[in-house]
Amino acid sequence: MRFKRFTGKSALMASLAAISLGVAACGGGEAPPPGEPGAEGSAPGGVVALSGAGATFPAPLYQRWFDSYNREVDSNVRVSYQSVGSGAGLEQYINGTVNFGASDAPIAGDRLESFRSRYNAEPIQVPMAGGAVVLAYNLPGFDELNLSRDAYCGIATGSVTRWNDPAIASSNPGVDLPDQPITFAHRSDGSGTTFIFVNHVDTVCPNWEAGVGTSVNWPTGVGGQGNEGVAAQIQQNEGTIGYIEYAYAKLNDIQMAAVENKAGNYVKPTPESASKAFEGAEVPEDFGLLVPDPESPEAFPIAGLTWILVYPSYDDATQWNTLKSVMEWALTEGEDITVELDYVPMPPDIIQRVKDVLAQVEA
Amino acid sequence: MTSATGTNLFRQKTNTIEKRSTPIRIVDQTFYWLTLTFAVGLGVVLTWIVLNVAMQAMPAIQANGFSFLMTTTWDPVRNIYGVLPQIYGTLVSSIIALLIAVPMGLGVAVFLSEDFLPPQVQNAIAFATELLAAVPSVVYGLWGIFVLIPFLRPFFNFLHDNLGWIPLFSTTPRGNSLLTLGIVLAIMIIPTIIAISRGTLKSLPPELRSGSMALGATRWETILKVLIPAGFSGIVGSVMLALGRALGETMAAAMIVGNTNRISISILDPGATIASLIASQFGEAGRVQVAALLYAGLVLMILTLLVNILAEYIIKRFQNVE
């Protein structure tokens, strides 16, 4: 009997030990200082590996940038970017398990508090690119569509339900819109695209009640998973309208509506009209610029920025210097890629300010 | 003394009991400890996961309590959370899946365990059905969106136009719906039902079949009154395993179900499931929302646990048929 009890106990201890090893391996314990995961980061071989995580909205752009940097500038630099979503990216950034984070919404609220209390410093966020979110629709035979603010506010809130509603018809004179039901398609996953769209809708629509966030309580419509899910909803169901990234709509050749901006003009989405959205806007100290309703009369009104977050100090100087060069390269020489992928590059004065801020990071 | 340590493992064929050599005893002991560690470890890991999820979900449990199960709002902006539409969607889509998959899967299992086909052809078909189980669920999701939904559209329209007076088909079909998800889930779980049920039916003692036939029973009677009752526990087991997969299916559900936070009697309407909710919202969730999502995960675990208890009960209740 004694022997048996002994075996049971030691078995339990062994399994506990195995589990605690597992916990340690998962990094669930104490937060490692930033830069830790790149233990191989500044290996003597000269290879510098950096890792980042966050927003899905700029993921295609970031992956192209990092890939091109590795191939064209410095083959010793390998940057991996996991597009896990802004929320998860910010958590990893706060926990120090990545070298940089990325987000479509400026860091705020309890996450900002928790970063401050953990690092005794302000997080550094810099804008990398901008982008437009378009209203794409499926209405065969109607290549041009103007949407007034009343029209798309009504569609998003569920008060405009048919295509021949006066709210839509009044801004499309001479067009005989069909008497067909409207299905509104939105993202079901949390997304920076949603944030940019509802940030705009919340500002311009008087009857919008769901607030602003990366996912909201939609009053109407069908949810699709990711840009591809919403795009599929639109393409497969006649009479559907939804919001997706400009680049994605263009790639899939989906019709996009011209949207009424603050000046009352109907503007088609293009990289140029989207970049106008940021023109003349006062960029705050922390770069947390939101343009819920751009002033410029030529601006496409639904646009937003996307940010990369770096730490105020890095233990490993090589790592930080590499990251800094990659980011500066992306903002300047990487601009061709930005334009090619239909994102909006940052204007020169912002790039200069970003460089100044990055120069203050300690390493 | 060493009763539990696998005395029979290395016993000689002779009837005399010999003293076993030391190396063999060491092997015995090691084997015993090792397997015990694994068994206990598995339990500990499970407990650990449940406790961890429950702890992380605690803020949401405290804030929402049981009204979480009754509320139909999911509002991350105001932090009001409830999963009633998701519980409903999870159960309805799984029930649809079972209604399709059980008769079909059981039928195929019976067919493949009888001697209708030469064994080579039987095995080839069984192999093909098992391949279905190896398809990643994201592929099922994409296939559902781009192939199945357009394919099913005429059928859905037919249902709505001709049977629209039944509340179940009362809304205009939009493609993404609980019914579509139910059909995709059925395809995903059929291989499980076929594989396990066929295995059970094939491993029944041949005397059962011969005896039944010898008593003059027809093939119908043999299958329905002898073989299926005898293999009942295995068949129920396969169905429960399949149901477990249907309840917890994440990626395909998130892509197909339409993710609408609404309870509608019509199965042609989009809905949501617990797993699809977690999958679609976790990445961008704020902290309060993460807690609410983990609470939803806990609800799903409890739901699955209840299903398993039900399965145990059914097996116990009907097993004495054997």
Side-chain angles (χ1 to χ4, degrees), chain A residues 3-4 6-8 10-12 14-16 19 22-23 55-56 84-89 91 94-95 104 110-111 114 182-184 186 188-192 209-217 219-225 228-229 232-233 235-237, chain B residues 1 3-5 29 32-33 36-38 40-42 44-45 48 72-78 142 144-147 149-150 153 172-176 251 254-262 270 276-277 279-290:
Chain A
F3 176 71
K4 274 192 91 174
F6 173 69
T7 56
S10 60
L12 184 68
S15 56
L16 281 176
I19 285 161
V23 177
T56 47
V84 289
S86 299
E91 285 299 327
I94 293 166
N95 288 332
D104 291 330
D110 54 354
R111 286 201 166 110
S114 111
I182 296 177
T183 305
F184 178 62
H186 56 77
S188 60
D189 49 333
S191 155
E209 279 158 12
V212 179
T214 51
S215 59
V216 297
N217 189 25
T220 185
V222 187
Q225 183 79 2
E228 69 279 12
Q233 284 278 359
Q235 286 173 309
Q236 293 180 4
N237 297 284
Chain B
M1 194 177 68
S3 58
T5 53
Q29 289 292 326
Y32 168 70
W33 283 21
L36 185 69
T37 312
F38 291 152
V40 173
L42 202 62
V44 172
V45 168
W48 182 50
T72 55
T73 317
W74 185 273
D75 189 340
V77 178
R78 290 183 189 80
L142 286 172
I145 291 180
F146 293 108
V147 181
I149 289 180
R153 178 152 297 136
T172 321
R174 296 201 251 212
N176 294 52
M251 209 51 221
M255 293 167 85
I256 293 169
V257 76
N259 299 301
T260 311
N261 209 17
R262 219 176 287 144
S276 80
L277 176 80
S280 45
Q281 307 238 316
F282 206 82
E284 296 275 346
R287 294 195 162 167
V288 185
Q289 198 187 348
V290 166

Side-chain angles (χ1 to χ4, degrees), chain A residues 100-119:
Chain A
F100 64 93
S103 176
D104 291 330
I107 185 168
D110 54 354
R111 286 201 166 110
L112 182 57
E113 286 308 314
S114 111
F115 185 91
R116 283 177 179 149
S117 65
R118 196 149 190 168
Y119 296 95

